[in-house]
Amino acid sequence: MKTGLVLEGGGLRVLFSVGIMDVMMDHGIRFDGIIGVSAGATMGCNYKSHQRQRALRYNLKLCGDWRYCSLRSWIKTGDLVGAEYAYHYVPTKVDIFDNDTFSADTTEFCVVCTDVHNGTPIYKRLNSLDYNGLEWLRATASLPIVSRTVNIDGKSMLDGGICNSIPLEYWQKQGYERNIVILTQPLGFRKKRTRLMPLIRLFCKKTPAVVKAMDRRHIMYNAQLDYVASESRLGNTLLLCPETPIKIGRTEMNPSKMQEVYDAGVAYANKHLDEIVRFIQESRR
């Protein structure tokens, strides 16, 4: 029976998920496969490379660097998060990503992107985070308006959360019968229709499928929350999520808040460690 880890995005809220993952790594908890969306993928890849705290470390270090993430970067390059600096220079020069370990680890790693032409999900298994693999990471985290479309392997893509924010059902169809799902919003959260639709229609007028998907994203997301909850009640899914709303912006530049969110994830994981270990042990029987 294959066991999976499902990671939703949420910008720097995902540092909560990183805290949980680091505790699981510390206790030798491994998965057969990991699927991540947006920041869930860009930070979750460190689980497969066995690099605890890496996502926290580089975010703390670079939060004041305009090349990493800033309005200046968006104005100069079209990307709020620097396409070349954040996704290629940082993992090869600033905080080295261990691609050898990532490639050698047998855990399947998959990211979700959105096809800008039809608004449907594209799933990509990444065996290596070479230049092409890092571009797939950039694609899954490229939000409309603040990012340019990412073109890879003949496909034009944006953030995977546009069309499949919590890909539990897809992962189950790939054979992952038991899954841990880490969300970055508390129980009871319901997404509302985005107030940015006028701007989305303006900036994304050349990709009407993206506009349509964004207009109904809250419906998709809330339906996925309901599905995760129902699977949790059946006992094949362990849901981990913050107990209260995480008070940090998607692109927060306050290092103390980043540390606080990460620490909250660590505390949550330690509080629920017995439950996590028991779920994994039952999955291995």
Side-chain angles (χ1 to χ4, degrees), residues 60-131:
L60 289 175
K61 182 176 182 178
L62 299 171
C63 64
D65 192 325
W66 74 267
R67 298 169 297 175
Y68 180 63
C69 178
S70 68
L71 180 61
R72 180 180 173 185
S73 174
W74 181 51
I75 293 171
K76 288 177 68 71
T77 70
D79 291 294
L80 186 71
V81 178
E84 188 62 31
Y85 185 79
Y87 289 99
H88 296 287
Y89 187 81
V90 170
T92 58
K93 303 294 183 183
V94 178
D95 198 313
I96 310 301
F97 181 77
D98 189 348
N99 192 40
D100 289 340
T101 298
F102 180 93
S103 301
D105 188 284
T106 58
T107 306
E108 181 177 4
F109 186 79
C110 183
V111 301
V112 186
C113 302
T114 297
D115 187 317
V116 301
H117 298 302
N118 54 35
T120 58
I122 295 174
Y123 304 97
K124 177 69 174 179
R125 177 174 177 171
L126 298 177
N127 299 314
S128 170
L129 288 190
D130 54 11
Y131 192 93

Side-chain angles (χ1 to χ4, degrees), residues 1-5 24 27-34 47 105-108 171 175-180 235-236 275-285:
M1 184 180 296
K2 293 200 296 184
T3 304
L5 177 63
M24 293 195 298
H27 288 83
I29 296 172
R30 307 302 301 171
F31 296 89
D32 298 301
I34 300 169
Y47 205 116
D105 188 284
T106 58
T107 306
E108 181 177 4
W171 212 221
Y176 292 90
E177 299 176 55
R178 289 176 64 82
N179 294 277
I180 290 180
N236 59 47
E275 185 180 4
I276 294 169
V277 170
R278 183 166 57 251
F279 182 86
I280 295 296
Q281 289 175 341
E282 291 172 353
S283 303
R284 301 304 186 197
R285 292 174 184 171

Side-chain angles (χ1 to χ4, degrees), residues 9-25:
L12 286 174
R13 292 200 310 270
V14 176
L15 287 173
F16 173 82
S17 309
V18 173
I20 293 176
M21 287 188 280
D22 282 356
V23 171
M24 293 195 298
M25 271 195 278

Side-chain angles (χ1 to χ4, degrees), residues 35-60:
I35 186 167
V37 181
S38 195
T42 61
M43 298 190 198
C45 62
N46 298 297
Y47 205 116
K48 183 170 159 64
S49 67
H50 305 186
Q51 290 177 280
R52 67 181 313 280
Q53 287 198 342
R54 179 175 176 271
L56 173 67
R57 189 169 59 241
Y58 67 71
N59 274 293
L60 289 175

Side-chain angles (χ1 to χ4, degrees), residues 223-236:
Q224 291 187 330
L225 287 178
D226 292 340
Y227 182 77
V228 171
S230 67
E231 293 300 290
S232 177
R233 289 192 293 270
L234 290 173
N236 59 47

